[in-house]
């Protein structure tokens, strides 16, 4: 019994009362001894009952406290053992020492003395990391495991219902898709109304059947555009089919000898309908920028998934857009005080040729132009071209270093980026932040990474090269264009290199551009001299090809020597040569570069979309021509990664 509780009832105040009573009784006895005697007797009786009350209070209180402690301990034990929260104690060896009733019911077995991995393998892995909590699935239930490593204690919370509600919410989210007929205007140009109507009826019939099958709300908004609205649950099913609608429409119209391809931009995720619609339009722009015939799905968090992309981009027969872009660029140049032109890191012949063409555009409109070039990071063939440029009486003065470019920037400078659209690949990324007005000219399929807020974007994946695009822009300048020999030759060299001497990705407009350049004085003999190979480089390339082996389905992989470095051009040339071998439908060449990175060049005849495979390794390019660079890996590790992605591509239905 705590002393302070007794003092509350039997403290000094009781003693003081008895002392005062005794004093009064003594005084009373002096005057009336009989009454005093009765007073002493009464005090004795009161003292006896007071002591009895004290002992009884003490006994009752002790019994009450004992009962209460028992009830509290019992309730605690009951709560710990039968609480709807799992609790588990483990030792230093991650062996279960104790678990409450809920944990025992989870695994439906006696787990004492067993490793925590008996409950779930993820638990043991998480205990070895710094994770504070994880979600695990046991049977049909999902639990959130929270770790208290200091006490070697794990709590389990049943979040099954929460997960179900979350999944239901995600399934019910609205998805907006914009369906666009890529080449409708091209294939129906000059077509009879009856045939056009029949063709469109076939496409519409396929789309309507698809919408009814999957529960999609579909409405046609223009001759070549449809709007589709459906739930996220439907999107998941469509992704499982890899959007076979693309193949269905292409094959159905191909039987009429007029193949029409679709591009679909999908917006999904949390957000307002306006935000999702904006994502859908952005996804469609991305799909078209990559050449069409594919689906791009963009979420609000910026993640993008692609499906399709099996066919090459269709060449546009009309040059209306080239004329409009040419005039728009002229207006931007006239509004600027100077023009800076920049290609990608380690520029190739196409990047340099296109840069010289844009420099000519600036000159035609009376503005100073400068080409940004890092002389320490160029390939052999470009170095030969630069030697010719140095001999030129005018061109060499317009080449500046990245450092000089940063110093020469003014508030009214125009920046033109050629042969790339990725900020991470340009020669000087700081210029993108320093210059407000940026124009992008490129022929590569658009990737997720893109230069933000460009005032003008001219990307045509059907084009053989950026040099071809720039040549067409020069043709539509209002002033009479006259290229000198080296300018025309540089542009022609860019086209020849990217088309492998007009063997791949070559359309009628490619020959038109080459014809125009030839008429302007382009020297094919000089191009041949610029592209001549050194004997040493030829031997290096042969050694790369010698290491090749067929991995699967006609896919050839060549791997360089770990102790030997190769230039990017050499690696690409080896991939091109491998593709010319019998039985090879796609080639991949892996080698170490001077900067220590591992480079992979990929080529295909069109049956294999090497762009998708390279994008899995953070690279990119075209359907038949792509590449990537890997850091912090060995050649063997890079080969293993590549083979995994090839397997994933082939087993995933040639789409990703």
């Amino acid at each position: 019994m705590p002393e302070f509780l007794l003092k509350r009832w039997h403290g000094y105040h009781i003693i003081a009362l008895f002392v005062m009573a005794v004093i009064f009784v003594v005084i009373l006895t002096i005057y009336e001894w009989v009454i005093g005697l009765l007073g002493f007797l009464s005090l004795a009786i009161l003292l006896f009952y007071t002591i009895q009350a004290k002992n009884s209070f003490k006994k009752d209180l002790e019994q009450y406290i004992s009962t209460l402690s028992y009830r509290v301990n019992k309730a605690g034990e009951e709560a710990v053992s039968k609480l709807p929260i799992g609790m588990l104690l483990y030792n230093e060896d991650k062996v279960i020492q104790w678990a409450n009733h809920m944990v025992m019911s989870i695994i439906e077995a006696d787990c004492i003395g067993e490793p925590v991995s008996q409950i779930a393998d993820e638990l043991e892995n998480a205990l070895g990391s710094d994770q504070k909590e994880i979600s695990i699935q046991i049977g049909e239930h999902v639990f959130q495991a929270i770790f208290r490593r200091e006490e070697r204690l794990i709590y389990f919370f049943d979040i099954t219902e929460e997960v179900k509600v979350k999944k239901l919410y995600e399934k019910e989210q609205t998805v907006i898709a914009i369906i666009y007929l890529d080449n409708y205007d091209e294939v129906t140009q000059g077509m009879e109304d009856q045939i056009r109507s029949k063709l469109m009826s076939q496409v519409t019939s396929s789309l309507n059947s698809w919408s009814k099958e999957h529960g999609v709300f579909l409405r046609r908004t223009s001759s070549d555009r449809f709007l589709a609205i459906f739930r996220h649950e439907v999107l998941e099913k469509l992704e499982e089919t890899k959007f076979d609608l693309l193949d269905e429409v292409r094959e159905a119209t191909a039987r009429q000898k007029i193949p029409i391809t679709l591009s679909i931009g999908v917006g999904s995720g949390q957000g307002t309908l306006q935000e999702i619609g904006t994502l859908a339009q952005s996804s469609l722009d991305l799909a078209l920028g990559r050449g069409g015939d594919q689906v791009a799905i963009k979420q609000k968090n910026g993640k993008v998934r692609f499906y399709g992309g099996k066919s090459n981009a269709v060449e546009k027969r009309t040059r209306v857009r080239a004329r409009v872009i040419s005039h728009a660029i002229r207006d931007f140049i006239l509004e600027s005080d100077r023009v800076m032109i920049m290609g990608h890191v380690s520029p190739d012949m196409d990047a340099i040729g296109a840069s010289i063409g844009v420099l000519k555009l600036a000159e035609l409109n009376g503005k100073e132009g400068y080409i940004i070039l890092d002389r320490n990071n160029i390939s052999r063939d470009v170095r030969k071209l630069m030697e010719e440029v140095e001999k030129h009486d005018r061109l060499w003065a317009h080449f500046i270093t990245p450092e000089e470019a940063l110093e020469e920037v003014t508030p009214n400078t125009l920046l033109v980026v050629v042969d790339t659209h990725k900020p991470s690949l340009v020669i000087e990324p700081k210029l993108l932040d320093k210059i407000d007005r940026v124009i992008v000219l490129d022929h590569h399929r658009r990737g997720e990474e893109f230069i933000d807020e460009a005032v003008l974007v001219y990307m045509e994946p059907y084009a053989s090269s950026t040099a071809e695009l720039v040549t067409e822009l020069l043709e539509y300048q209002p002033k009479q264009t006259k290229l000198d020999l080296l300018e025309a030759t540089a542009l022609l060299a860019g086209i020849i290199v990217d088309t492998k001497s007009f063997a791949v990705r070559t359309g009628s407009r490619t020959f038109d551009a080459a014809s125009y350049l030839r008429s302007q004085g382009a020297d094919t003999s000089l191009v041949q001299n610029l592209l001549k190979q050194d004997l040493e480089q030829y031997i290096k390339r042969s050694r790369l090809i010698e290491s090749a082996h067929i991995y699967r389905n006609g896919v050839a992989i060549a791997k360089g020597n770990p102790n030997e470095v190769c230039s990017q051009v050499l690696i690409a040339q080896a991939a091109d040569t491998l593709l010319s071998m019998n039985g090879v439908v796609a080639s991949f060449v892996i080698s170490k570069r001077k900067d220590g990175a591992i480079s992979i060049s990929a080529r295909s005849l069109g049956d294999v979309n090497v762009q998708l495979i390279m994008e899995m390794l953070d690279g990119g390019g075209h359907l038949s021509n792509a590449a990537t660079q890997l850091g912090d890996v060995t050649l063997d590790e890079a080969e293993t990664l590549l083979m995994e992605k090839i397997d994933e591509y082939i087993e995933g239905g040639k789409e990703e």
Side-chain angles (χ1 to χ4, degrees):
M1 167 69 67
E3 193 66 27
F4 73 90
L5 285 176
L6 288 174
K7 286 181 179 179
R8 287 183 180 274
W9 300 101
H10 309 287
Y12 293 116
H13 59 289
I14 299 296
I15 296 171
L17 285 173
F18 272 102
V19 170
M20 290 178 65
V22 169
I23 292 172
F24 280 118
V25 171
V26 170
I27 295 172
L28 184 62
T29 304
I30 295 173
Y31 294 99
E32 292 288 342
W33 67 271
V34 176
I35 296 174
L37 186 63
L38 291 173
F40 275 115
L41 182 61
S42 299
L43 284 175
I45 293 171
L46 285 172
L47 180 62
F48 173 77
Y49 278 110
T50 300
I51 293 171
Q52 284 290 95
K54 174 186 175 182
N55 291 335
S56 180
F57 173 75
K58 183 178 179 180
K59 182 179 179 181
D60 290 344
L61 186 60
E62 285 177 346
Q63 186 177 0
Y64 175 76
I65 291 173
S66 176
T67 304
L68 183 63
S69 299
Y70 172 78
R71 289 176 63 202
V72 169
N73 290 334
K74 189 70 176 174
E77 290 176 7
E78 194 78 8
V80 169
S81 61
K82 296 188 178 179
L83 195 71
I85 298 174
M87 298 176 67
L88 179 149
L89 291 172
Y90 61 94
N91 61 18
E92 296 88 344
D93 299 324
K94 300 177 184 176
V95 173
I96 301 171
Q97 293 179 305
W98 174 86
N100 70 349
H101 175 74
M102 181 180 175
V103 174
M104 303 291 281
S105 64
I106 290 173
I107 59 175
E108 300 177 349
D110 185 8
C111 60
I112 307 301
E114 299 293 334
V116 293
S117 59
Q118 181 174 339
I119 296 178
D121 292 332
E122 299 95 316
L123 278 179
E124 188 170 6
N125 298 333
L127 287 173
S129 66
D130 296 329
Q131 290 177 279
K132 293 183 179 179
E133 58 183 62
I134 62 168
S135 295
I136 59 173
Q137 182 155 358
I138 304 173
E140 296 180 355
H141 292 266
V142 181
F143 295 91
Q144 183 180 26
I146 300 176
F147 305 108
R148 296 288 183 266
R149 289 179 174 80
E150 297 78 10
E151 296 84 16
R152 293 197 291 276
L153 173 65
I154 305 175
Y155 292 106
F156 294 90
F157 294 89
D158 191 340
I159 57 171
T160 306
E161 289 302 316
E162 181 184 336
V163 171
K164 284 182 179 178
V165 171
K166 186 178 179 181
K167 286 183 177 178
L168 181 62
Y169 168 70
E170 290 175 351
K171 286 182 178 180
E172 294 293 328
Q173 284 182 342
T174 301
V175 177
I176 297 177
I178 301 174
I179 303 172
Y180 179 74
L181 308 185
D182 295 331
N183 53 343
Y184 177 74
D185 289 336
E186 294 294 320
V187 300
T188 59
Q189 190 175 21
M191 187 181 290
E192 294 181 7
D193 292 343
Q194 185 179 358
I195 300 175
R196 184 192 294 114
S197 177
K198 183 180 178 182
L199 180 66
M200 198 62 214
S201 175
Q202 191 168 25
V203 174
T204 305
S205 175
S206 297
L207 287 171
N208 286 335
S209 299
W210 170 79
S211 66
K212 287 179 182 178
E213 179 184 353
H214 297 284
V216 176
F217 174 80
L218 184 71
R219 283 295 177 270
R220 185 173 180 176
T221 58
S222 67
S223 61
D224 56 2
R225 194 176 291 252
F226 294 80
L227 177 67
I229 301 175
F230 45 93
R231 295 185 302 173
H232 195 274
E233 182 180 14
V234 175
L235 177 61
E236 292 176 352
K237 293 178 181 178
L238 292 174
E239 290 192 69
E240 288 176 5
T241 66
K242 304 291 184 182
F243 281 87
D244 52 9
L245 173 68
L246 301 177
D247 298 331
E248 183 183 334
V249 171
R250 187 191 323 108
E251 291 167 6
T253 54
R255 287 194 288 270
Q256 306 295 326
K257 309 302 181 185
I258 311 171
I260 286 182
T261 60
L262 302 180
S263 285
I264 305 177
V266 180
S268 68
Q270 300 179 12
T272 64
L273 291 177
Q274 186 177 8
E275 290 172 336
I276 297 172
T278 302
L279 285 176
Q281 183 59 56
S282 175
S283 299
L284 180 62
D285 294 340
L286 187 56
L288 292 172
R290 290 163 57 87
D293 190 25
Q294 59 192 279
V295 180
I297 304 170
K298 184 178 282 189
Q299 295 176 302
K300 198 175 178 183
N301 59 12
K303 291 184 178 179
V304 185
R305 301 186 298 279
F306 297 103
Y307 296 90
K310 291 183 178 181
S311 60
N312 276 308
V314 179
E315 182 183 35
K316 304 288 191 303
R317 285 186 239 169
T318 173
R319 294 194 181 193
V320 173
R321 188 165 185 234
R323 176 174 55 80
V324 171
I325 294 292
S326 180
H327 289 180
I329 290 177
R330 177 201 63 186
D331 294 339
F332 278 116
I333 291 174
L334 291 174
E335 293 168 3
S336 308
D337 56 9
R338 64 187 60 183
V339 180
M340 290 193 177
I341 306 124
M342 174 170 62
H344 51 77
V345 178
S346 301
D348 54 13
M349 199 70 83
D350 184 31
I352 296 296
S355 297
I356 291 174
V358 176
L359 180 66
K360 188 67 175 180
L361 283 172
E363 179 189 317
L364 288 171
N365 291 283
K367 300 295 180 179
E368 280 292 319
Y370 300 96
I371 298 174
I372 301 164
L373 181 69
D374 182 2
R375 289 296 303 272
N376 299 320
N377 192 13
I378 56 177
S379 59
R380 288 175 178 269
D381 54 348
V382 171
R383 190 172 290 114
K384 289 179 182 178
L385 175 60
M386 293 313 301
E387 289 172 359
E388 296 295 328
V389 169
E390 287 182 27
K391 300 174 188 176
H392 196 273
D393 57 354
R394 174 175 48 83
L395 277 179
W396 177 241
H398 294 277
F399 280 83
I400 60 175
T401 64
E403 294 76 18
E404 291 172 335
L406 289 170
E407 294 175 1
E408 294 292 330
V409 169
T410 67
N412 206 26
T413 297
L414 176 68
L415 176 63
V416 182
V417 177
V418 298
D419 205 31
T420 185
H421 58 268
K422 297 184 177 182
S424 60
L425 293 183
V426 297
I427 292 176
E428 183 50 81
K430 293 178 183 177
L431 284 172
L432 296 174
D433 300 324
K434 204 167 182 180
I435 298 176
D436 294 330
R437 298 188 305 160
V438 180
I439 293 175
V440 178
L441 306 177
D442 193 15
H443 71 115
H444 294 104
R445 291 192 176 202
R446 180 168 173 170
E448 293 181 45
E449 185 187 0
F450 196 78
I451 295 172
D452 293 329
E453 298 180 357
V455 295
L456 184 64
V457 176
Y458 186 37
M459 289 181 61
E460 295 291 356
Y462 72 82
S464 68
S465 57
T466 310
E468 177 188 328
L469 295 176
V470 173
T471 300
E472 290 186 347
L473 297 179
L474 284 167
E475 292 184 62
Y476 287 106
Q477 284 298 296
K479 292 184 180 179
Q480 183 65 33
T481 307
K482 179 58 183 172
L483 302 174
D484 70 17
L485 184 144
L486 189 56
E487 290 170 337
T489 301
L491 283 163
L492 182 61
I495 295 174
I496 289 175
V497 167
D498 271 25
T499 59
K500 309 296 179 293
S501 299
F502 302 101
V504 296
R505 290 198 316 276
T506 305
S508 60
R509 289 173 66 169
T510 308
F511 288 107
D512 290 342
S515 175
Y516 170 77
L517 293 172
R518 188 73 182 90
S519 69
Q520 290 288 316
D523 188 346
T524 53
S525 299
L526 178 56
V527 173
Q528 286 297 106
N529 287 330
L530 294 175
L531 301 181
K532 276 187 177 180
Q533 300 178 42
D534 294 336
L535 181 60
E536 178 188 352
Q537 294 296 103
Y538 185 84
I539 294 172
K540 264 189 176 184
R541 189 180 71 188
S542 299
R543 281 200 294 265
L544 270 177
I545 296 168
E546 187 181 17
S547 69
H549 67 278
I550 301 297
Y551 175 55
R552 59 182 294 187
N553 296 7
V555 175
I557 299 177
K559 182 175 65 175
N561 190 318
N563 301 319
E564 190 174 38
V565 297
C566 297
S567 67
Q568 188 63 46
V569 173
L570 184 67
I571 300 169
Q573 288 174 344
D576 289 327
T577 305
L578 267 178
L579 197 60
S580 65
M581 303 297 172
N582 282 332
V584 175
V585 297
S587 61
F588 297 85
V589 177
I590 313 167
S591 182
K592 185 183 289 186
R593 300 197 316 179
K594 287 182 180 179
D595 57 7
I598 302 299
S599 178
I600 304 178
S601 271
R603 300 290 184 270
S604 85
L605 296 175
D607 294 330
V608 177
N609 191 336
V610 293
Q611 178 198 6
L612 294 180
I613 298 173
M614 291 296 96
E615 282 181 341
M616 295 180 201
L617 296 170
D618 298 325
H622 287 279
L623 179 144
S624 58
N625 183 336
T628 190
Q629 286 80 44
L630 304 175
D632 301 324
V633 296
T634 64
L635 283 171
D636 291 337
E637 290 171 342
E639 184 180 24
T640 302
L641 276 173
L642 175 63
M643 290 191 292
E644 287 175 0
K645 300 307 178 185
I646 292 172
D647 292 341
E648 188 177 335
Y649 170 83
I650 294 174
E651 292 162 11
K654 298 187 179 181
E655 298 174 23
E656 183 61 24

